[in-house]
Amino acid sequence: MSVLGKVLFFYTISNSFMVMAWYLHLKFLNNHPWYIASVLSWCIAFFEYSLLIPANRIGYPELGLSKLQIIQIGMSLIAFIPFSFFVMQEPIKKDYILASICLLGAVYFIFRNVR
């Protein structure tokens, strides 16, 4: 598997955990104190970081910091949209699609070869 493929694989799973750590408590722990939600979110975030750190270490030598950041932001949105629709039961809005198109533009500009 290529370096980019490995980074995308790790980022996909990592961002799924990130979205759950950030927002899942809003649905299931609403009646609990904030510190309970915080501790449980950090427990979920452990798995996010356990995948994000290796992805960054694998990708940094070949891709560099800027490309890793743009990929991370894009993968975050890719994980957020299905989570908000399926788990939080919020509608997918036109703005989500437009934001995704803007991120595709960012990916294009960061990955193009300018000479």
Side-chain angles (χ1 to χ4, degrees):
M1 183 181 289
S2 70
V3 169
L4 181 59
K6 290 176 186 175
V7 168
L8 290 174
F9 175 74
F10 282 118
Y11 274 6
T12 300
I13 300 169
S14 171
N15 277 289
S16 298
F17 282 113
M18 178 194 71
V19 169
M20 286 189 289
W22 285 7
Y23 302 114
L24 199 59
H25 64 90
L26 297 173
K27 183 166 185 159
F28 296 109
L29 297 175
N30 233 4
N31 297 325
H32 293 80
W34 69 266
Y35 52 86
I36 300 290
S38 183
V39 168
L40 290 175
S41 291
W42 272 105
C43 290
I44 296 170
F46 169 79
F47 296 104
E48 172 203 352
Y49 286 113
S50 295
L51 295 163
L52 183 69
I53 300 303
N56 288 337
R57 287 179 171 242
I58 291 167
Y60 179 72
E62 186 173 314
L63 300 171
L65 193 60
S66 296
K67 288 179 182 175
L68 286 174
Q69 181 59 33
I70 293 297
I71 295 168
Q72 165 60 23
I73 291 168
M75 296 305 292
S76 176
L77 186 61
I78 289 170
F80 175 76
I81 292 172
F83 176 84
S84 67
F85 183 74
F86 291 112
V87 177
M88 301 301 284
Q89 299 174 340
E90 294 191 4
I92 295 177
K93 298 180 180 179
K94 183 174 128 182
D95 289 344
Y96 294 168
I97 306 305
L98 294 174
S100 298
I101 292 168
C102 289
L103 282 173
L104 285 175
V107 169
Y108 167 76
F109 285 114
I110 205 74
F111 277 91
R112 73 182 176 146
N113 290 325
V114 178
R115 296 192 189 257

